Amino acid sequence: MVLLIFGYALSYKRRLRIVKIQSDGAHEAMLAESRKPQVKSKQTHSQEEYEALQSFLRSISSTATLPPYVKGETYSSMRGVFNQCLITCAVLVLAAGAGHPIGFSAVALPQLQNENSSMRIDEEMGSWIASIHSAATPLGSMLSGPIMEAIGRRRTLQASTFPLVLGWILIATAMHHALLLLGRIVCGFAVGIMAAPSQVYLGEISEPRLRGLLIGTPFVAYSLGVLYVYALGGALPWRSVSFLCIVLPSLAFVVLCLSPESPTWLARKGRFHEAMAAMGRLRGNPEIAQRELHELISAREKEKARGEETIRFFATVSRAPVLKPLLLINAFNMLQILSGSYIVIFYAVDIVKEAGGSLSPHMVANASACTRLGVTVIACILLLKITRRSLVMMSGIGTAVCTLALAFLLYQDAGSGIITPVLILGYVAFNTLGFFLLPGLMIGELLPTKVRGLCGGYIFCVFNAVLFGFTKLYPVMKNSVGMSGVFALFGSAASLATVVLFLLLPETKGKSLLQIEQYYQKPNILWVTRKKTTDGQQV
C-alpha cells in the first residue's frame, strides 16, 4: 500500500515544478531583518524563544501578502510528498480495520442462520445484527467533533482503536445474542469516532494537488478491510474471524504514534512552534512550510478581525458560507444511502441470492468486494487526472443505468443466467467510482476550517442514523416491493443524486482549502452560474 501510494504520488510529482511566488516584499524584508527561527522541540525552547516565535508568526500573518495558491505551484519537496504518503498509510491501517465490522454481518449471518449453529438466529435477529452497528455509529460520530477539536485529529484516531478492539473481543467471546449485539454496538461506536477525523486529518496534512488521492485512499483500505473479512468468513468460523479483526486496530495505534498532529489544528490552538515543526515535516522544505503556515495564521487573524472567533457554533453554522456546503453534503449523503451503497455491503450474499442468476451468491459477493477494492484504487488515480465533477457524473449515470436495468429484468422475471450478477457487479463498480468516495472528499474539502471538525462529526452522525434506519427496514422493504422495487429505488435515488451534484457541486481539483472557502463566501449557489473570477484569479 505504501509503495502504491508513493509510486503514483512520485509519478505525478515529477510533472510539477515550483513557480516563484511574487509578493509585495514585506515578507522577505521582515525575514531579512530578523533571524529565521530554528524549529526545535518544545523542551529545548526557552520561554523567550517561544514567545519570540509566536510574535514572529503573528507578525507575518498581518504584514505579508502572499497569494494562497498559484496554478503550477507545488507545496512540497519530494521528501514532503513521501512523508505525506507514509502518514496516509498510518490512517489506512485504521481505515481497513473500520471496514471489518461493515463486512462482518455478510459472512456471520449465513453461519448463524445455519441449523447447526450454537447461536442460531431468525431473520429478525439477523436484521438487528446487521443494522445495530449503524445505530451506534451516530453516537460516536456526534462525539468525534468535540473530541477532535479538544485533543486533536491524530489522538482522536488513536482513541478510537480501544473501543474497536473491545467490541471484537465481545463478539468473539459472545455466548448469547445480547453480547453479540453489544459487541456490534461498541464496534459501531468506534467506527463513528474515527470516520470524520480520518477525512479531516488527511485533508489538512495534504497539499492541494495530492489531496484528492490521499483523502480517497482510506476507501481503498476500507474496501480491503471488507474483502479481508469476506475472505476469512469463507474459510473460518465467525468467532475466529472476530479474533483476527483485532490485529489491524492494534497496529494502527502504534503507527499513529509516529505521525504528527494536523498543523491546521495546532495553528488554531496557538501552538505555532509545533505547527511549524509538523508543517516542515509534511512539506519537506522550511520556506514552503513557513509560507503555508502564514496562510493558516492569516486566515485565523482575519476571523478575529471580523469578530467571527467569538460567534457561537450554531450561529456560525447558520451563515451561508457554512450552510451551503453543509446542506449539499447532507443531501447527497441521504441520496447515497437510498442508492444502496451500504445495503449491498451489509446484505451482499442475500441480495445476490434473491436477485437470482447462475453464479454462486458467495462467489458474486466476494467478486463485488474485489470489484469495490479495484475500482476504489482506480478512482484514487483518476482523482489526479480528471475533475471531481466528471468522476461523480460517470458514477451517478452508471449506477442509475445498472440499477434500473436490474429492476426491469427482475420485474419481467428475467433475472436468470449471468446477466443479473454482471449488472450487480457493474452497479458496485460505478457506485464505488464516485459516490462511495465523495462524502469523505466533501467533508475534507468543502467545510470551512473553523467548523470542519465539529460539522464533520455531526454529518457522520446524521448519515449513520439514517443508514441504521434504512438497513433495519431493508428486509421489510424487500418483502413488500420485491427485489425489483428495491433496485428501482436505488436507481431513482442515484438519478436524483446525479442531478443535485451536477447543479451544486463545485470543482475543487487543484484548489487550496482557502480558495474553496472563498468560493462559498461569494453568492454562489449553482455551479453553472458561479462568479468565475475574483481579483483576476479563477475561484
Side-chain angles (χ1 to χ4, degrees), residues 29-311:
M30 182 201 57
L31 289 178
E33 295 172 1
S34 305
R35 181 173 60 87
K36 187 182 297 183
Q38 300 296 320
V39 179
K40 303 178 181 178
S41 66
K42 188 173 181 179
Q43 290 75 15
T44 60
H45 268 298
S46 65
Q47 185 64 26
E48 292 78 9
E49 289 173 326
Y50 179 57
E51 293 295 334
L53 179 59
Q54 287 186 316
S55 177
F56 168 75
L57 292 172
R58 290 194 187 101
S59 69
I60 67 171
S61 71
S62 59
T63 59
T65 55
L66 298 176
Y69 184 71
V70 175
K71 188 174 178 59
E73 173 193 8
T74 175
Y75 273 7
S76 306
S77 67
M78 200 64 66
R79 177 186 174 188
V81 171
F82 183 70
N83 286 337
Q84 290 175 56
C85 292
L86 285 180
I87 294 165
T88 300
C89 289
V91 179
L92 298 188
V93 176
L94 185 58
H100 295 346
I102 304 297
F104 180 74
S105 61
V107 300
L109 294 185
Q111 294 185 29
L112 290 169
Q113 289 168 347
N114 192 295
E115 294 182 358
N116 298 324
S117 174
S118 59
M119 289 177 57
R120 191 180 179 191
I121 61 172
D122 55 17
E123 186 178 83
E124 175 67 16
M125 179 55 65
S127 71
W128 276 108
I129 292 173
S131 62
I132 199 68
H133 169 274
S134 299
T137 306
L139 178 59
S141 299
M142 183 179 294
L143 295 177
S144 69
I147 292 173
M148 73 168 128
E149 287 299 322
I151 67 175
R153 284 64 160 127
R154 179 179 64 88
R155 288 181 179 175
T156 304
L157 291 174
Q158 287 181 295
S160 69
T161 61
F162 294 106
L164 188 56
V165 169
L166 176 61
W168 283 119
I169 292 174
L170 288 172
I171 293 173
T173 58
M175 300 303 295
H176 191 271
H177 294 152
L179 281 179
L180 180 58
L181 291 174
L182 179 61
R184 292 283 290 168
I185 290 172
V186 175
C187 284
F189 175 77
V191 172
I193 290 179
M194 72 178 70
S198 62
Q199 301 301 317
V200 172
Y201 182 55
L202 293 179
E204 291 179 348
I205 68 168
S206 56
E207 64 179 71
R209 291 182 179 269
L210 296 178
R211 192 172 56 238
L213 171 67
L214 299 186
I215 293 180
T217 48
F219 294 95
V220 178
Y222 178 90
S223 301
L224 189 60
V226 174
L227 177 60
Y228 172 81
V229 171
Y230 282 2
L232 291 178
L236 297 173
W238 60 270
R239 292 187 189 275
S240 300
V241 174
S242 302
F243 278 120
L244 290 173
C245 287
I246 296 173
V247 175
L248 288 185
S250 303
L251 180 60
F253 178 86
V254 176
V255 295
L256 283 169
C257 291
L258 307 176
S259 304
E261 184 52 83
S262 163
T264 302
W265 180 81
L266 291 170
R268 293 193 66 83
K269 293 297 181 181
R271 294 159 62 174
F272 301 116
H273 66 293
E274 295 176 62
M276 178 67 84
M279 191 69 78
R281 180 177 173 185
L282 291 166
R283 299 299 177 256
N285 185 300
E287 283 75 19
I288 295 174
Q290 189 178 81
R291 175 190 175 279
E292 190 167 347
L293 185 59
H294 154 262
E295 294 178 3
L296 293 175
I297 301 173
S298 177
R300 181 172 179 266
E301 293 299 319
K302 288 177 182 177
E303 285 182 6
K304 285 184 177 181
R306 294 193 298 263
E308 294 180 1
E309 194 171 66
T310 58
I311 298 176

